[in-house]
Amino acid sequence: MFSAVALVLLTGCWNRRELNELAIAAALGIDKSESGLKLSVQVINPGEIADRKGAGKQPPVVTFEAEGRTFMEALHRLTTEMPRRIYLAHLRMVIIGEEMARSGIGKALDALSRYYEVRTDYYVVVARGQTAAHILETLTSLEKIPANSMNTSLDISEKAWAATGKTTLNDLISGIHNIGRSAVMSGITLDGNPADGPEMNRFQSTKPPVILRYSGIGAMKGDKLAGWLSETESKGFRFAKGNLTNTGLVVPCPAGGYADVELVRMNSKVKGKVAGGSPAGSVTIRVEGMLTEVSCDIDVMKRKTISRLEREIEDEIEEAVHAAVRRSQDDLRSDVIGFGEAIHRANPKAWRNLKRNWPQAFRKMKVDVNVDMKIRRIGTVNEPAAKKTEE
Amino acid sequence: MKNGMKNGILKSLLRLLQNRNKAEAPPPVPAASPRGISSKLAANLQRFRAEFGNSSDLVTREMRFGGAEGPRIALVYLDGLTDMKALMQSLAGEAAPGVRERKSARQWLDHLKQTAIAAGEIKEAGVWGDVVLAVLSGETAMFVDGCADVLTIGTQGGDRRNVEEPNTQSVIRGPREGFTETLRTNTAMVRRKIRDVRVRTEAMRIGRVTQTDVAIMYVQGLAADNILAEVHARLNRIDTDGILESGYIEEFIQDGKYSPFPTVFSTERPDTIAAGLLEGRVAVFVDGTPFVLLVPALFTQFYQAPEDYYQRADFSTLLRLLRFVCFMIALLAPSVYIAVTTFHQELLPTPLLIGLAGQREGVPFPAFIEAVMMEIMFEILREGGVRMPKTIGQSVSIVGTLVIGQAAVEAGLVSPAMVIVVAITAISNFVIPAFNMAISLRMLRFLFMAVAASFGLFGVVICLIGLVLHLCSLKSFGVPYLAPFAPLQLNDQKDSLFRLPAWMLRTRPRSLQDRNVYRQPPKGKAP
């Protein structure tokens, strides 16, 4: 009996940590530095966020920085300037400085995937033309925690805008090791003077002078950033990957002006084959959409008009995908769409020979793109508003 | 000198100890009193008064029956326990002319017994002890001068509480009557509900000093023989000086004497007892308390309210599920809160974590101390509310909870989330219909909290497994406590976690007995 009680009481509450002894890290930034890397961490100030009465006096997050030869060394050095223990399980974002990304991130990511406390459900993005520290120091409006703001903004824009994409740690690591499908990461940048970012006072204005914005998709080659896809190329890339849901597409009307179509459903197939020793790839995309805006003079009640619009959109998408493929072949030399993987799946034997010099073979590969587009709905009005006013 | 004194003290201490070890003897009946009864009236009355130590409530009334030539008789009764009106009326006045010729005392006694006295229950006693016991139970002893036999007349009466609505286990729909402190009234209430000759009532007396009336009630043919035998055996085994409430008996006869879970069901409601009897259970009535015991008592029974059968089946099923949810909350809410906030922060969604962390800013205690503090505070308030006079009790406890909860949060002693956890736990505890089951959850909650504070969810789960094992090992009068879940009894599922419509409840619970299971004709057979 006594020993049973002692057993309970003498454990010393191993691993116990009270909520108010934790510094909840919302985002991590990794930059290159002379000694190795510079780690910046965005820590949530829970009192400021949860307390309704006294809110607004202190910033909702605080950032700390430390350098180290390795990731963990920097993490442990952070404790010298913080009153609490860093808690990484609720990490929302990891931001990698562009300089760091270009010189290779494999070593830094190892700690993130190995350390027991870290989950793998956060997104990894690249600070485009910036240091990660600057991005982390920037406060956001509407959402008090910048890391949350970045996280949800990426979630939403991935669906609605198509030129961004979310990447988790697992995607990234499998991309680093997989030569037949390179990883990608969205870029984040800030508009305005970075020095204004940490200022609380700027929220006195309805239009913050500094905002965080996603821009473009960065293609990786191994664990190094190879380059950026433009907006069209990014969209083409996302179309080829086929996980868009409610993106809008703008198409020019025959007689000037534009129409806008929102995607309802889509799927795409990336296929690869080896014919006569040389690889070939194909992308087949099926899209269904609905008309959401007509700002030109066309008669949407006619079958013919609709099918012309459909063809326009097909061309548009095809063009974008081709652009993405061309860019990745000629300039980036990184197989981001994953033709290598498709060939591996279709013809494992041929792939065994092919993968040895895949970067060269990929550059010369021919890629077919087929798009099939259907407009299913034309919206709640028949005639464009623009037409009525002319009569 | 000193030594001698010491010895004396030691001896007297020793004597005290020895005395305690001896079973306490019933009070001052002289050891040498003869069993028989004297034929002399005055001697008998003298003896009565001596044995009762001239108690002021003992009435000995001497009178002459049937006019001047009639025999001298005496009535002995305890004032307040008896209703003498009817008896006195039949004794007053002249005896009929033909009666006067009877001369022998014995003949007079027979006459009184058979003709003269208007009372329902008359017995003849020849042993002194029986007479004394009869008087103590509210009967009237009638002595006839010159006769060594005594009549005991059933005159029990006096002031008793009326049948009222029970305070515990109240219902929205259902009978409003509750048991009283009188055994006979209570058995009658059940008999009124089941008009069948197979309803059997067996009387016994328990308690060497209190001589408390205890009655076992069951339906012949429905109650399993082995259960009935077990009840008899356990009741007969009780040897104590006093039974003042059915709780005394419950503790003597329950299984798992060190288990926090009750294995005897108690209720104030006649309809619950009647339903139990029809299922083949055995009821134990104890004189002097409105709480009647029902055995065997199974785990699910404590989560069923009588009203479940009076309201719609679908609604009752939902209520029962709700009660099981509340069972889990009442048992686990504080411990899971402690475990999650001190060990497994990664289990919480980020916004919730930030919210909780914000509330905990500036709280000086660990979550465990905070929880124990609030739980104890609540237990104090509740206990205070129970003991306080009814009129102020409730308002004081509500105000106390609100004020102390609010003040503790504002003073920064506890976090608001903890107040919510304690409050939901407390309310969930009240949802459980059976008070004795709710008590066991209250006790176990603290154990779970301590384990959660040292081992986290891991400890909570280990403890839960231990709890389930313990429940599985329990039996109530030979019936597994977790029946019909463990062992699984598919047929009984219709009335355990769920309550199917009445027309689907064709059979009685098979966990209790399987001889006579059909309540309604089996499917496909005409009634």
Side-chain angles (χ1 to χ4, degrees), chain A residues 132-155:
Chain A
H134 275 144
I135 302 285
L136 286 192
E137 282 159 10
T138 306
L139 290 170
T140 51
S141 42
L142 279 185
E143 179 69 64
K144 277 184 171 177
I145 303 166
N148 268 356
S149 168
M150 289 186 256
N151 187 289
T152 46
S153 165
L154 188 54
D155 260 342

PDB file of all heavy atoms in Angstrom, chain A residues 132-155:
ATOM      1  N   ALA A 132      13.925  35.430 -43.266  1.00  0.00           N
ATOM      2  CA  ALA A 132      12.771  34.885 -42.548  1.00  0.00           C
ATOM      3  C   ALA A 132      12.486  35.727 -41.316  1.00  0.00           C
ATOM      4  O   ALA A 132      11.331  35.907 -40.917  1.00  0.00           O
ATOM      5  CB  ALA A 132      13.053  33.436 -42.152  1.00  0.00           C
ATOM      6  N   ALA A 133      13.545  36.265 -40.704  1.00  0.00           N
ATOM      7  CA  ALA A 133      13.367  37.057 -39.493  1.00  0.00           C
ATOM      8  C   ALA A 133      12.444  38.239 -39.745  1.00  0.00           C
ATOM      9  O   ALA A 133      11.554  38.544 -38.949  1.00  0.00           O
ATOM     10  CB  ALA A 133      14.716  37.525 -38.979  1.00  0.00           C
ATOM     11  N   HIS A 134      12.642  38.910 -40.881  1.00  0.00           N
ATOM     12  CA  HIS A 134      11.808  40.076 -41.186  1.00  0.00           C
ATOM     13  C   HIS A 134      10.346  39.678 -41.325  1.00  0.00           C
ATOM     14  O   HIS A 134       9.444  40.388 -40.895  1.00  0.00           O
ATOM     15  CB  HIS A 134      12.282  40.746 -42.487  1.00  0.00           C
ATOM     16  CG  HIS A 134      13.397  41.705 -42.236  1.00  0.00           C
ATOM     17  ND1 HIS A 134      14.442  41.882 -43.117  1.00  0.00           N
ATOM     18  CD2 HIS A 134      13.641  42.525 -41.198  1.00  0.00           C
ATOM     19  CE1 HIS A 134      15.279  42.761 -42.626  1.00  0.00           C
ATOM     20  NE2 HIS A 134      14.818  43.168 -41.457  1.00  0.00           N
ATOM     21  N   ILE A 135      10.127  38.542 -41.973  1.00  0.00           N
ATOM     22  CA  ILE A 135       8.741  38.080 -42.156  1.00  0.00           C
ATOM     23  C   ILE A 135       8.110  37.815 -40.784  1.00  0.00           C
ATOM     24  O   ILE A 135       6.976  38.210 -40.513  1.00  0.00           O
ATOM     25  CB  ILE A 135       8.708  36.786 -43.001  1.00  0.00           C
ATOM     26  CG1 ILE A 135       9.371  37.004 -44.357  1.00  0.00           C
ATOM     27  CG2 ILE A 135       7.294  36.255 -43.136  1.00  0.00           C
ATOM     28  CD1 ILE A 135       8.566  37.769 -45.336  1.00  0.00           C
ATOM     29  N   LEU A 136       8.859  37.187 -39.909  1.00  0.00           N
ATOM     30  CA  LEU A 136       8.295  36.826 -38.608  1.00  0.00           C
ATOM     31  C   LEU A 136       8.024  38.038 -37.735  1.00  0.00           C
ATOM     32  O   LEU A 136       7.154  38.025 -36.876  1.00  0.00           O
ATOM     33  CB  LEU A 136       9.255  35.884 -37.854  1.00  0.00           C
ATOM     34  CG  LEU A 136       9.324  34.454 -38.342  1.00  0.00           C
ATOM     35  CD1 LEU A 136      10.069  33.608 -37.345  1.00  0.00           C
ATOM     36  CD2 LEU A 136       7.934  33.899 -38.545  1.00  0.00           C
ATOM     37  N   GLU A 137       8.792  39.090 -37.959  1.00  0.00           N
ATOM     38  CA  GLU A 137       8.621  40.270 -37.111  1.00  0.00           C
ATOM     39  C   GLU A 137       7.415  41.097 -37.511  1.00  0.00           C
ATOM     40  O   GLU A 137       7.006  41.997 -36.791  1.00  0.00           O
ATOM     41  CB  GLU A 137       9.879  41.157 -37.200  1.00  0.00           C
ATOM     42  CG  GLU A 137      11.018  40.606 -36.365  1.00  0.00           C
ATOM     43  CD  GLU A 137      12.364  41.133 -36.830  1.00  0.00           C
ATOM     44  OE1 GLU A 137      12.402  42.060 -37.675  1.00  0.00           O
ATOM     45  OE2 GLU A 137      13.388  40.597 -36.352  1.00  0.00           O
ATOM     46  N   THR A 138       6.865  40.805 -38.668  1.00  0.00           N
ATOM     47  CA  THR A 138       5.774  41.629 -39.170  1.00  0.00           C
ATOM     48  C   THR A 138       4.452  41.236 -38.526  1.00  0.00           C
ATOM     49  O   THR A 138       4.076  40.069 -38.522  1.00  0.00           O
ATOM     50  CB  THR A 138       5.665  41.473 -40.696  1.00  0.00           C
ATOM     51  OG1 THR A 138       6.937  41.750 -41.260  1.00  0.00           O
ATOM     52  CG2 THR A 138       4.623  42.397 -41.261  1.00  0.00           C
ATOM     53  N   LEU A 139       3.780  42.235 -37.986  1.00  0.00           N
ATOM     54  CA  LEU A 139       2.467  41.986 -37.382  1.00  0.00           C
ATOM     55  C   LEU A 139       1.403  42.031 -38.461  1.00  0.00           C
ATOM     56  O   LEU A 139       1.557  42.677 -39.487  1.00  0.00           O
ATOM     57  CB  LEU A 139       2.168  43.045 -36.326  1.00  0.00           C
ATOM     58  CG  LEU A 139       3.007  42.968 -35.054  1.00  0.00           C
ATOM     59  CD1 LEU A 139       2.775  44.206 -34.210  1.00  0.00           C
ATOM     60  CD2 LEU A 139       2.651  41.717 -34.278  1.00  0.00           C
ATOM     61  N   THR A 140       0.313  41.314 -38.214  1.00  0.00           N
ATOM     62  CA  THR A 140      -0.774  41.303 -39.193  1.00  0.00           C
ATOM     63  C   THR A 140      -2.036  41.835 -38.544  1.00  0.00           C
ATOM     64  O   THR A 140      -2.183  41.789 -37.323  1.00  0.00           O
ATOM     65  CB  THR A 140      -1.044  39.878 -39.693  1.00  0.00           C
ATOM     66  OG1 THR A 140      -1.203  39.036 -38.566  1.00  0.00           O
ATOM     67  CG2 THR A 140       0.086  39.378 -40.551  1.00  0.00           C
ATOM     68  N   SER A 141      -2.936  42.317 -39.366  1.00  0.00           N
ATOM     69  CA  SER A 141      -4.207  42.766 -38.820  1.00  0.00           C
ATOM     70  C   SER A 141      -5.243  41.658 -39.043  1.00  0.00           C
ATOM     71  O   SER A 141      -4.979  40.684 -39.719  1.00  0.00           O
ATOM     72  CB  SER A 141      -4.642  44.055 -39.501  1.00  0.00           C
ATOM     73  OG  SER A 141      -4.401  43.993 -40.876  1.00  0.00           O
ATOM     74  N   LEU A 142      -6.439  41.838 -38.497  1.00  0.00           N
ATOM     75  CA  LEU A 142      -7.525  40.847 -38.515  1.00  0.00           C
ATOM     76  C   LEU A 142      -7.166  39.619 -37.691  1.00  0.00           C
ATOM     77  O   LEU A 142      -7.783  39.333 -36.689  1.00  0.00           O
ATOM     78  CB  LEU A 142      -7.888  40.400 -39.934  1.00  0.00           C
ATOM     79  CG  LEU A 142      -8.808  41.319 -40.723  1.00  0.00           C
ATOM     80  CD1 LEU A 142      -9.176  40.680 -42.047  1.00  0.00           C
ATOM     81  CD2 LEU A 142     -10.050  41.680 -39.928  1.00  0.00           C
ATOM     82  N   GLU A 143      -6.162  38.890 -38.129  1.00  0.00           N
ATOM     83  CA  GLU A 143      -5.701  37.748 -37.341  1.00  0.00           C
ATOM     84  C   GLU A 143      -4.535  38.242 -36.494  1.00  0.00           C
ATOM     85  O   GLU A 143      -3.554  38.767 -37.006  1.00  0.00           O
ATOM     86  CB  GLU A 143      -5.275  36.636 -38.293  1.00  0.00           C
ATOM     87  CG  GLU A 143      -4.756  35.381 -37.639  1.00  0.00           C
ATOM     88  CD  GLU A 143      -5.823  34.601 -36.916  1.00  0.00           C
ATOM     89  OE1 GLU A 143      -6.756  34.114 -37.575  1.00  0.00           O
ATOM     90  OE2 GLU A 143      -5.711  34.490 -35.683  1.00  0.00           O
ATOM     91  N   LYS A 144      -4.663  38.085 -35.162  1.00  0.00           N
ATOM     92  CA  LYS A 144      -3.659  38.690 -34.281  1.00  0.00           C
ATOM     93  C   LYS A 144      -2.305  37.984 -34.376  1.00  0.00           C
ATOM     94  O   LYS A 144      -1.272  38.607 -34.217  1.00  0.00           O
ATOM     95  CB  LYS A 144      -4.138  38.640 -32.835  1.00  0.00           C
ATOM     96  CG  LYS A 144      -5.072  39.774 -32.471  1.00  0.00           C
ATOM     97  CD  LYS A 144      -5.395  39.675 -30.999  1.00  0.00           C
ATOM     98  CE  LYS A 144      -6.152  40.898 -30.530  1.00  0.00           C
ATOM     99  NZ  LYS A 144      -6.524  40.739 -29.114  1.00  0.00           N
ATOM    100  N   ILE A 145      -2.348  36.660 -34.583  1.00  0.00           N
ATOM    101  CA  ILE A 145      -1.095  35.916 -34.618  1.00  0.00           C
ATOM    102  C   ILE A 145      -0.637  35.810 -36.065  1.00  0.00           C
ATOM    103  O   ILE A 145      -1.306  35.175 -36.882  1.00  0.00           O
ATOM    104  CB  ILE A 145      -1.290  34.522 -34.017  1.00  0.00           C
ATOM    105  CG1 ILE A 145      -1.823  34.650 -32.597  1.00  0.00           C
ATOM    106  CG2 ILE A 145       0.007  33.735 -34.039  1.00  0.00           C
ATOM    107  CD1 ILE A 145      -2.354  33.365 -32.046  1.00  0.00           C
ATOM    108  N   PRO A 146       0.488  36.449 -36.405  1.00  0.00           N
ATOM    109  CA  PRO A 146       0.921  36.442 -37.817  1.00  0.00           C
ATOM    110  C   PRO A 146       1.050  35.038 -38.382  1.00  0.00           C
ATOM    111  O   PRO A 146       0.696  34.805 -39.541  1.00  0.00           O
ATOM    112  CB  PRO A 146       2.272  37.152 -37.756  1.00  0.00           C
ATOM    113  CG  PRO A 146       2.211  37.984 -36.551  1.00  0.00           C
ATOM    114  CD  PRO A 146       1.359  37.255 -35.563  1.00  0.00           C
ATOM    115  N   ALA A 147       1.518  34.085 -37.568  1.00  0.00           N
ATOM    116  CA  ALA A 147       1.687  32.728 -38.081  1.00  0.00           C
ATOM    117  C   ALA A 147       0.345  32.145 -38.499  1.00  0.00           C
ATOM    118  O   ALA A 147       0.232  31.477 -39.522  1.00  0.00           O
ATOM    119  CB  ALA A 147       2.345  31.847 -37.024  1.00  0.00           C
ATOM    120  N   ASN A 148      -0.691  32.408 -37.712  1.00  0.00           N
ATOM    121  CA  ASN A 148      -2.024  31.932 -38.065  1.00  0.00           C
ATOM    122  C   ASN A 148      -2.507  32.592 -39.329  1.00  0.00           C
ATOM    123  O   ASN A 148      -3.134  31.976 -40.184  1.00  0.00           O
ATOM    124  CB  ASN A 148      -3.023  32.260 -36.945  1.00  0.00           C
ATOM    125  CG  ASN A 148      -3.136  31.126 -35.965  1.00  0.00           C
ATOM    126  OD1 ASN A 148      -2.531  30.079 -36.172  1.00  0.00           O
ATOM    127  ND2 ASN A 148      -3.891  31.333 -34.911  1.00  0.00           N
ATOM    128  N   SER A 149      -2.226  33.897 -39.410  1.00  0.00           N
ATOM    129  CA  SER A 149      -2.638  34.646 -40.585  1.00  0.00           C
ATOM    130  C   SER A 149      -2.016  34.044 -41.828  1.00  0.00           C
ATOM    131  O   SER A 149      -2.678  33.802 -42.833  1.00  0.00           O
ATOM    132  CB  SER A 149      -2.224  36.095 -40.401  1.00  0.00           C
ATOM    133  OG  SER A 149      -2.358  36.777 -41.607  1.00  0.00           O
ATOM    134  N   MET A 150      -0.699  33.753 -41.756  1.00  0.00           N
ATOM    135  CA  MET A 150      -0.004  33.174 -42.916  1.00  0.00           C
ATOM    136  C   MET A 150      -0.577  31.806 -43.230  1.00  0.00           C
ATOM    137  O   MET A 150      -0.786  31.451 -44.386  1.00  0.00           O
ATOM    138  CB  MET A 150       1.485  33.044 -42.611  1.00  0.00           C
ATOM    139  CG  MET A 150       2.215  34.361 -42.555  1.00  0.00           C
ATOM    140  SD  MET A 150       3.987  34.095 -42.370  1.00  0.00           S
ATOM    141  CE  MET A 150       4.228  34.466 -40.661  1.00  0.00           C
ATOM    142  N   ASN A 151      -0.832  31.041 -42.194  1.00  0.00           N
ATOM    143  CA  ASN A 151      -1.322  29.673 -42.366  1.00  0.00           C
ATOM    144  C   ASN A 151      -2.671  29.658 -43.071  1.00  0.00           C
ATOM    145  O   ASN A 151      -2.870  28.969 -44.065  1.00  0.00           O
ATOM    146  CB  ASN A 151      -1.423  29.027 -40.978  1.00  0.00           C
ATOM    147  CG  ASN A 151      -1.769  27.559 -41.045  1.00  0.00           C
ATOM    148  OD1 ASN A 151      -2.884  27.233 -41.384  1.00  0.00           O
ATOM    149  ND2 ASN A 151      -0.819  26.702 -40.757  1.00  0.00           N
ATOM    150  N   THR A 152      -3.626  30.443 -42.560  1.00  0.00           N
ATOM    151  CA  THR A 152      -4.960  30.400 -43.152  1.00  0.00           C
ATOM    152  C   THR A 152      -4.970  31.077 -44.509  1.00  0.00           C
ATOM    153  O   THR A 152      -5.683  30.651 -45.414  1.00  0.00           O
ATOM    154  CB  THR A 152      -5.989  31.064 -42.222  1.00  0.00           C
ATOM    155  OG1 THR A 152      -5.451  32.292 -41.761  1.00  0.00           O
ATOM    156  CG2 THR A 152      -6.287  30.186 -41.030  1.00  0.00           C
ATOM    157  N   SER A 153      -4.166  32.129 -44.644  1.00  0.00           N
ATOM    158  CA  SER A 153      -4.106  32.808 -45.929  1.00  0.00           C
ATOM    159  C   SER A 153      -3.609  31.855 -47.021  1.00  0.00           C
ATOM    160  O   SER A 153      -4.120  31.840 -48.139  1.00  0.00           O
ATOM    161  CB  SER A 153      -3.183  34.012 -45.808  1.00  0.00           C
ATOM    162  OG  SER A 153      -2.840  34.482 -47.078  1.00  0.00           O
ATOM    163  N   LEU A 154      -2.649  31.015 -46.656  1.00  0.00           N
ATOM    164  CA  LEU A 154      -2.129  30.053 -47.634  1.00  0.00           C
ATOM    165  C   LEU A 154      -3.200  29.009 -47.959  1.00  0.00           C
ATOM    166  O   LEU A 154      -3.395  28.633 -49.117  1.00  0.00           O
ATOM    167  CB  LEU A 154      -0.880  29.379 -47.058  1.00  0.00           C
ATOM    168  CG  LEU A 154      -0.083  28.478 -48.025  1.00  0.00           C
ATOM    169  CD1 LEU A 154       0.275  29.264 -49.278  1.00  0.00           C
ATOM    170  CD2 LEU A 154       1.168  27.957 -47.343  1.00  0.00           C
ATOM    171  N   ASP A 155      -3.912  28.590 -46.925  1.00  0.00           N
ATOM    172  CA  ASP A 155      -5.018  27.635 -47.122  1.00  0.00           C
ATOM    173  C   ASP A 155      -6.026  28.152 -48.127  1.00  0.00           C
ATOM    174  O   ASP A 155      -6.464  27.438 -49.027  1.00  0.00           O
ATOM    175  CB  ASP A 155      -5.758  27.435 -45.791  1.00  0.00           C
ATOM    176  CG  ASP A 155      -5.331  26.163 -45.097  1.00  0.00           C
ATOM    177  OD1 ASP A 155      -4.750  25.305 -45.782  1.00  0.00           O
ATOM    178  OD2 ASP A 155      -5.573  26.049 -43.895  1.00  0.00           O
TER     179      ASP A 155
END
